[in-house]
Amino acid sequence: ADSGLGVDYYGLAEDLTDAERDLWTTMRRWVDAELIPVAGGYWERAEFPYDLVPKYAQLGVVGDALVGPGIPEMSVTAAGLITMELNRGDGSFATFHGVQAGLAMRSIAFCGSDEQKERWLPAMARLEAIGAFALTEPDHGSDSVALETTARRDGDSYVLNGAKRWIGNGTICDVCVVWARGEDGQVQGFLVEKGTPGYEADVIEGKGSLRAVWNADIRLTDCRVPAENKLPGGRTFKDTARVLSATRAGIAWSALGHATAAYECALSYALQRQQFGKPIASFQLVQEKLVQMLAEVTAMQLFCLRTSRLAEQGRLTDTMASLAKMNATRKARQVLATARDLMGGNGILLEHRVMRHMADIEALHTYEGTESIQTLIIGKQLTGISAFA
Ligand code: FAD
C-alpha cells in the first residue's frame, strides 16, 4: 500500500509524469523532516512559523501551476500534490501557501497588467513578498457577491472604504488584493501595498482551527491606492469567481492531505498499541475502520487526480470543482473522526497529530465556499433551479 511516496493503494504514482513523481517525493521528505516535527508547537502557540518560510522557499515550488514571470513551471496535478503534502503536514502552513499562491498570486496572474505581474510574481514565488486576498467581509461571507467595500476614483488614485474579515496573511502581507465595489456597481480588484495609510489589520485571536496561520480583520478608511494598482482584468465578480473556482479544486487536494495524515497516524498507532494482550490492529472492528479510511483516501486520490487532469485540459467546470471540494472535505472530516476514535485517549493529544488535523479540517469545510454553498452550486446546475435565496 506504500510505494515510498505514501498511501498509494491503486498505484496513482504510475499515472504521474516523472517530474510529478519526483516532486511528490521531494515534498513528502520535506514535510516529514521540516514541517511535521514543528507544526504542533506553532499550532499550540498560535504562532506563525516565520522560520519555515525561507526554508520552504528554497524548494522553489511556489506558484500553483500558474503561468507568469518567475513562476516555476508545474502541472496542475503537481500543484495538487504539493497542496496535499503540505496539508498532510500542517493545515496552517498549507493555508499560508494557499493564500499566497492559490489566491493572491492567481489574482495577479489572471487579472494583473504585465507591469503588476513583473513587479509582484517573481518576488512572491520566492516568498520574498507575501500576499493576501481580501474578499470576505464581516457581513458578507457566502454572499460575498454582495460585498459593500467601495472604491471611488479620485484623480490619479482610487479611495477604498470598508471592512474585510478572515483575511489570511492580512497582517503580514506586502500586497493585499482587495475586492471592492466600483462606481459602476461592479466588483473590482485593487493591489494595496504594505504601509498604505488607511489599511489597518488586526489578527483574529482565539481560533480553534488553523491556529498557526494568521487571519485578519481589516479596516479600510479612505485608503488611497494609485490608479495603476487597479487590476485591469478584475472588472466584475466573474473575474473574482474565476480565481476562486481554480483554487476550489485545490481544497479537495488539501482535504486529501488531512485524510492521509489521519490514515497514516491511525494505522501506525493501531499496529503498535496493545490491548487485551494484542495490537488493536488485530481486532476485526479496528481493521474495518482502517479499511474504510483507506477506501475514502483512495477514492479521494482518484477524484483529485481526475479533477486536475481535467483542469490541465481546460475541461474542469466550476461545478466539477465544487463537487470535488464538497465531497473531499466531507469525507476527510469522517476519516479524521475515525482516526481520532481509533487512537483512544491519545487521539485528543496534539502530539499524536490527528486532533490538530481534526480541528483544521473544520476551517477547510467552511472556507472558499461552505459545503452547503458548494452543494447549492451543483444543485442549481443539476436542476436548473437556484436554491440560494
Ligand atoms: P456564512 O455565510 O454566514 O454561513 C453560515 C452558515 O450558513 C453556513 O453553514 C452556510 O453554509 C450557511 N448558508 C449561508 N447561505 C446559505 C444558503 N443560501 N443556503 C443554505 N445555507 C446557507 N476569506 C477571504 O476573502 N480571504 C481569506 O484569506 C479567507 N481565509 C479564511 C480562513 C479561515 C480560517 C476562515 C474560517 C475563513 C476564511 N475566509 C477568507 C472566509 C471564508 O471564505 C468564509 O468564512 C466562508 O465563505 C463562509 O462565510 P461566513 O463565514 O460568513 O459564513
Side-chain angles (χ1 to χ4, degrees), residues 75-386:
S75 65
V76 178
T77 302
L81 291 165
I82 293 170
T83 299
M84 175 184 78
E85 282 302 325
L86 287 178
N87 281 279
R88 185 179 65 82
D90 178 40
S92 298
F93 192 73
T95 296
F96 157 75
H97 177 259
V99 170
Q100 171 80 1
L103 292 170
M105 287 175 74
R106 178 165 276 104
S107 300
I108 297 171
F110 280 13
C111 306
S113 66
D114 288 345
E115 293 74 32
Q116 289 165 345
K117 290 180 197 178
E118 283 295 342
R119 166 135 191 241
W120 292 108
L121 294 178
M124 290 173 86
R126 293 193 301 268
L127 293 178
E128 286 164 10
I130 301 303
F133 175 95
L135 173 65
T136 306
E137 300 186 348
D139 294 332
H140 299 286
S142 296
D143 69 347
S144 57
V145 66
L147 64 82
E148 293 177 59
T149 296
T150 56
R152 178 174 50 82
R153 180 82 192 225
D154 183 29
D156 288 342
S157 29
Y158 285 90
V159 181
L160 307 182
N161 278 287
K164 296 287 174 183
R165 182 158 170 80
W166 288 118
I167 309 311
N169 306 345
T171 52
I172 60 170
C173 57
D174 298 285
V175 60
C176 183
V177 179
V178 173
W179 298 95
R181 196 167 298 284
E183 284 159 298
D184 62 356
Q186 299 292 339
V187 172
Q188 304 170 352
F190 299 88
L191 301 177
V192 181
E193 295 178 39
K194 189 176 198 154
T196 306
Y199 177 100
E200 285 176 301
D202 294 316
V203 173
I204 298 176
E205 306 276 359
K207 283 191 299 172
S209 175
L210 300 179
R211 284 173 56 78
V213 65
W214 289 337
N215 295 88
D217 260 325
I218 297 173
R219 288 171 305 286
L220 297 158
T221 314
D222 293 330
C223 179
R224 191 173 281 274
V225 299
E228 63 263 25
N229 280 20
K230 183 172 188 292
L231 293 174
R235 288 189 207 93
T236 75
F237 190 75
K238 280 207 174 106
D239 300 312
T240 327
R242 213 154 55 85
V243 175
L244 291 172
S245 173
T247 54
R248 204 158 270 171
I251 308 296
W253 283 101
S254 304
L256 170 57
H258 286 278
T260 305
Y263 171 75
E264 288 179 351
C265 288
L267 178 61
S268 82
Y269 189 83
L271 287 166
Q272 152 267 302
R273 172 72 175 167
Q274 307 256 338
Q275 286 295 286
F276 299 95
K278 293 188 225 166
I280 60 168
S282 62
F283 302 124
Q284 291 182 6
L285 290 176
V286 171
Q287 290 189 6
E288 193 268 345
K289 285 174 186 163
L290 291 169
V291 171
Q292 278 305 317
M293 293 168 82
L294 175 64
E296 293 301 1
V297 167
T298 303
M300 286 164 74
Q301 287 178 335
L302 301 176
F303 217 128
C304 284
L305 181 62
R306 177 66 182 158
T307 304
S308 290
R309 292 296 187 222
L310 284 170
E312 283 159 10
Q313 297 159 17
R315 292 164 59 207
L316 186 74
T317 64
D318 292 357
T319 51
M320 284 173 173
S322 288
L323 191 71
K325 198 254 173 189
M326 183 277 290
N327 190 59
T329 53
R330 176 180 289 188
K331 293 296 165 57
R333 268 174 126 195
Q334 291 166 3
V335 170
L336 278 155
T338 306
R340 222 291 303 144
D341 164 90
L342 277 182
M343 294 172 76
N346 284 332
I348 70 165
L349 294 177
L350 286 176
E351 70 173 278
H352 286 274
R353 291 170 49 204
V354 165
M355 194 70 220
R356 171 166 52 84
H357 288 281
M358 203 173 168
D360 287 352
I361 198 69
E362 292 306 301
L364 274 74
H365 168 75
T366 290
Y367 70 35
E368 301 213 22
T370 68
E371 181 181 306
S372 298
I373 293 298
Q374 306 301 344
T375 302
L376 295 179
I377 291 171
I378 305 156
K380 181 181 170 191
Q381 195 244 345
L382 291 185
T383 63
I385 306 165
S386 169

